[in-house]
Amino acid sequence: MITVFSQSLRRWKWQIVGWGSVLLVITLYLMWLYKPMLEQQAQLKNLLDAYGKEMLAFFGGAVDLFSPAGYLNFGFFSYIPVVVGILALLLGAGLVAADEEKGTLDLILAHPIPRTALFWGRWLALAVALGAVLLLTWLGFALGLPLSGLDTTVGELLLPHISLFSVLILFAALALFLSLVLPSRTLAASVTAALLVASYVVTSLASVNDKLAPINNLSPLKYYQGGNAVDGLNWGYLLGTLAAALIFTLLAWLLFLRRDIRVSGEHGWTLSWRWAAKKG
Amino acid sequence: MNTSTTVLLAQGLTKSYGRVQALRGVDLEVKQGEIFGFLGPNGAGKTTTIRILLDLIRPDGGTVRVLGLDPQKDSLAVRARCGYLPGELHLEESERVETILRQFNAFRGGKADWGYVRSLAERLGLDLKMPARNLSKGNKQKVGVVQALMHRPELLLLDEPTSGLDPLMQQEVHRLIRGAKADGATVFFSSHVMAEVEQLAERVGIIRQGVVVEVAETQTLIKRALRRARVRFAGGFQAPALEGVRGVSLLSRDGDTLVLQVEGEMDALIKELAKYPVAEFETERPSLEEIFLAYYER
């Protein structure tokens, strides 16, 4: 499992560095921007008031922009699950299916590696990769904090990242599960991306439309706290999201244990649930 | 070496992919230390059989034993003792050959002797420093051959081992396979190249539409099969009818010349011909290819 874990991390090192460094620069810039924005508070308030509340809902709602939670939500945490979610779901959908589609998994699994070790080794590497990206993101906030004068601490800034991590892991797990059920990882990633965007839209609009409350209960992003987590984590939401991720991961693992390893051109590209039903 | 030990056993193996029935009851037995050729055209079930042996896919029915073990229950033990070359070899394009081989070796707990890996690469003219993305199909196949052999496995499962290699390299791979056998390994390889099976295999199994239709020693199969005999009688002697002779049937008659098909031993025909003035007598032994095609025409 350690071999698989280290090889997977090595494979993703440039993605970690690329995503992490871009996000580090963005968060550093955001922190630097806080002071100038604070100086033009009045004009900005007028500008924001001109926008409809539906519009502001997509940026964390009509909250106090200059509070730590409001600013972090507006500038970063409200939309970032969709952005970094793309990385998470691509890694999840490709965790097993990428090698399967390339045809390299066949030879890997002809070696004495348990499927369980391969699966969990890669899953752990995925979690570490996402964690490393978020750590670099947090580093940007932490380095910029003294410049900003934002009324929060480095420790409190870590909390929204923990909430974000739980959501990213959930969408990665969903994509992984779908990649083992649907005929291709592209389809699995597309379906997961559609669900991610739908969740973002529903949860954002639910803050201004009460009729969306029932459907919002099913939206994963309802349980994402974003910048509000600087005031304290909702442990129920956090553990619930992680539990959902664990369920999808366990289902994916069980599917991976019992399924045939597909090789292109060998009649293996039917929906696996049909195959499973046939096997009964 | 105990040559009577069964290394590979399949009984009534069935496998379907949706509506496509790939295996319809494959029966096979391979003994320790032999080179066994598994012959069949594309889609006959060769690859499916090999992948079941390594637990990459699961059969719908039947039993399998590899090195005395059940590949599903003792999957790791089976895979640890086998070397496998897939029919469709794909490598991690972003890595160098040496990195790929070291990764495979890490999966085996670093069991391979790296000096041996280098010697294999040298014999095949494989540059270990080359990135996989720059390799030709033939060079990729060489990587596949090296990784299958490098840990000196007890059983080699090779799916089309010389696919994409030039004739010189094919001969080198044949030598490596014979070398592995000399060191005590059992070799089970699939091929649709008849000349290769004829040259390399001691026994051959022919698979047709998911069923093994023949298993025999390669030479026995060739000897046992139909032969063609051409007889020209001397001095314009009119060819007699020889169709009554056991195992003989007439293919064509042209004046004093007959072309006959003989099944089994030639003895009865030769004794019958001894009664007549024979000017020329030629026989043709069929190639494995002709035998193979005969099975497919049935």
Side-chain angles (χ1 to χ4, degrees):
Chain A
M1 194 163 115
I2 291 165
T3 308
V4 175
F5 171 76
S6 56
Q7 284 181 1
S8 302
L9 269 188
R10 213 162 69 90
R11 186 193 283 190
W12 294 329
K13 66 182 174 209
W14 292 117
Q15 292 189 59
I16 297 169
V17 170
W19 279 83
S21 51
V22 167
L23 290 171
L24 185 146
V25 170
I26 290 172
T27 51
L28 201 57
Y29 174 69
L30 270 174
M31 294 309 261
W32 173 82
L33 202 62
Y34 182 71
K35 233 175 209 170
M37 281 179 73
L38 204 60
E39 285 161 10
Q40 297 173 43
Q41 200 173 142
Q43 294 98 308
L44 276 169
K45 208 165 174 347
N46 288 338
L47 182 68
L48 290 174
D49 287 345
Y51 288 108
K53 59 180 180 178
E54 290 82 3
M55 178 70 186
L56 289 174
F58 288 98
F59 296 94
V63 292
D64 177 10
L65 178 63
F66 301 100
S67 69
Y71 181 70
L72 291 171
N73 263 337
F74 183 82
F76 191 76
F77 284 104
S78 55
Y79 60 83
I80 210 65
V82 179
V83 180
V84 190
I86 299 298
L87 170 69
L89 65 90
L90 286 177
L91 290 181
L95 198 76
V96 174
D99 277 338
E100 198 172 26
E101 289 179 12
K102 280 193 287 181
T104 50
L105 191 61
D106 194 53
L107 189 52
I108 292 171
L109 281 178
H111 288 76
I113 317 166
R115 287 193 189 194
T116 294
L118 183 91
F119 182 92
W120 290 106
R122 287 188 173 188
W123 181 247
L124 191 62
L126 182 147
V128 169
L130 290 177
V133 168
L134 295 188
L135 206 63
L136 288 168
T137 311
W138 168 79
L139 190 64
F141 279 121
L143 291 172
L145 187 60
L147 306 171
S148 70
L150 202 65
D151 185 20
T152 187
T153 65
V154 168
E156 284 169 346
L157 279 171
L158 194 60
L159 301 179
H161 293 84
I162 294 170
S163 179
L164 178 58
F165 177 77
S166 70
V167 169
L168 295 180
I169 280 289
L170 173 59
F171 280 99
L174 180 61
L176 169 63
F177 169 72
L178 289 176
S179 75
L180 292 166
V181 176
L182 297 173
S184 77
R185 69 175 157 142
T186 308
L187 185 59
S190 304
V191 171
T192 313
L195 289 170
L196 173 62
V197 171
S199 175
Y200 176 65
V201 171
V202 166
T203 301
S204 298
L205 292 179
S207 65
V208 289
N209 186 342
D210 292 342
K211 287 178 186 167
L212 289 171
I215 193 171
N216 190 36
N217 289 333
L218 298 171
S219 168
L221 289 181
K222 180 194 168 175
Y223 307 99
Y224 163 64
Q225 288 179 262
N228 297 329
V230 289
D231 297 329
L233 276 175
N234 181 326
W235 287 97
Y237 281 8
L238 180 73
L239 295 176
T241 310
L242 289 174
L246 184 63
I247 288 168
F248 281 121
T249 310
L250 287 172
L251 286 172
W253 171 57
L254 292 173
L255 275 173
F256 183 58
L257 283 185
R258 63 168 292 184
R259 81 202 287 269
D260 286 351
I261 301 303
R262 299 179 294 189
V263 171
S264 55
E266 209 194 28
H267 313 293
W269 298 98
T270 50
L271 289 174
S272 47
W273 60 265
R274 280 173 55 195
W275 172 82
K278 188 173 172 292
K279 292 276 285 183
Chain B
M1 183 185 5
N2 180 3
T3 51
S4 65
T5 308
T6 298
V7 163
L8 197 161
L9 181 72
Q11 288 175 326
L13 214 54
T14 57
K15 176 69 186 174
S16 296
Y17 299 110
R19 289 178 188 165
V20 180
Q21 202 168 358
L23 302 182
R24 299 161 188 265
V26 165
D27 295 310
L28 269 178
E29 188 173 6
V30 177
K31 301 284 185 190
Q32 188 180 334
E34 72 173 331
I35 300 180
F36 189 98
F38 199 35
L39 195 56
N42 294 331
K46 304 186 298 291
T47 298
T48 298
T49 305
I50 290 177
R51 296 183 76 232
I52 285 173
L53 299 175
L54 286 163
D55 192 36
L56 294 168
I57 51 177
R58 276 77 193 252
D60 298 333
T63 50
V64 195
R65 290 290 177 274
V66 178
L67 298 159
L69 303 167
D70 181 339
Q72 284 188 50
K73 287 184 185 155
D74 300 300
S75 182
L76 284 189
V78 167
R79 286 184 272 151
R81 293 165 68 186
C82 289
Y84 170 57
L85 173 62
E88 292 271 335
L89 180 68
H90 299 277
L91 302 170
E92 192 57 58
E93 298 278 316
S94 58
E95 303 285 8
R96 289 176 189 278
V97 172
E98 184 165 348
T99 310
I100 291 169
L101 290 173
R102 285 195 184 276
Q103 281 177 359
F104 286 140
N105 192 32
F107 289 150
R108 295 193 178 277
K111 198 179 160 191
D113 163 18
W114 210 250
Y116 181 56
V117 174
R118 285 207 183 88
S119 79
L120 286 171
E122 204 170 299
R123 282 180 69 174
L124 293 168
L126 176 66
D127 181 358
L128 293 177
K129 301 289 174 206
M130 187 85 92
R133 77 172 77 85
N134 295 346
L135 295 177
S136 64
K137 179 171 172 18
N139 277 325
K140 278 184 185 160
Q141 189 71 1
K142 292 174 190 175
V143 179
V145 171
V146 172
Q147 67 78 32
L149 288 165
M150 68 182 187
H151 58 290
R152 300 181 193 270
E154 289 171 59
L155 174 62
L156 276 165
L157 299 168
L158 310 173
D159 195 355
E160 309 275 356
T162 56
S163 171
L165 296 176
D166 64 50
L168 284 175
M169 276 304 138
Q170 286 181 15
Q171 292 306 315
E172 192 57 43
V173 170
H174 289 176
R175 279 191 283 275
L176 287 171
I177 290 172
R178 287 196 199 95
K181 175 199 152 63
D183 292 341
T186 305
V187 183
F188 180 82
F189 76 99
S190 81
S191 181
H192 63 265
V193 182
M194 267 61 72
E196 178 171 80
V197 178
E198 195 171 346
Q199 202 179 343
L200 203 57
E202 292 153 341
R203 285 204 307 144
V204 60
I206 298 177
I207 185 167
R208 179 193 180 199
Q209 292 174 357
V211 179
V212 176
V213 290
E214 181 68 76
V215 176
E217 287 183 5
T218 313
Q219 289 310 312
T220 306
L221 197 64
I222 292 169
K223 279 180 196 159
R224 198 171 72 197
L226 299 174
R227 293 161 204 241
R228 201 167 291 158
R230 185 178 156 275
V231 190
R232 189 172 69 79
F233 293 94
F237 183 82
Q238 281 303 302
L242 295 169
E243 287 163 277
V245 180
R246 183 161 44 88
V248 175
S249 54
L250 181 67
L251 290 180
S252 69
R253 178 198 292 267
D254 180 15
D256 59 356
T257 304
L258 297 180
V259 179
L260 305 164
Q261 185 169 277
V262 187
E263 191 173 353
E265 297 291 328
M266 299 286 277
D267 187 59
L269 174 64
I270 289 168
K271 282 178 178 158
E272 184 65 24
L273 287 175
K275 298 173 187 170
Y276 307 102
V278 175
E280 284 176 30
F281 179 67
E282 292 171 3
T283 62
E284 283 173 24
R285 178 171 284 178
S287 66
L288 193 56
E289 181 159 2
E290 284 171 296
I291 298 166
F292 175 73
L293 290 172
Y295 274 104
Y296 275 81
E297 283 161 5
R298 281 179 187 175

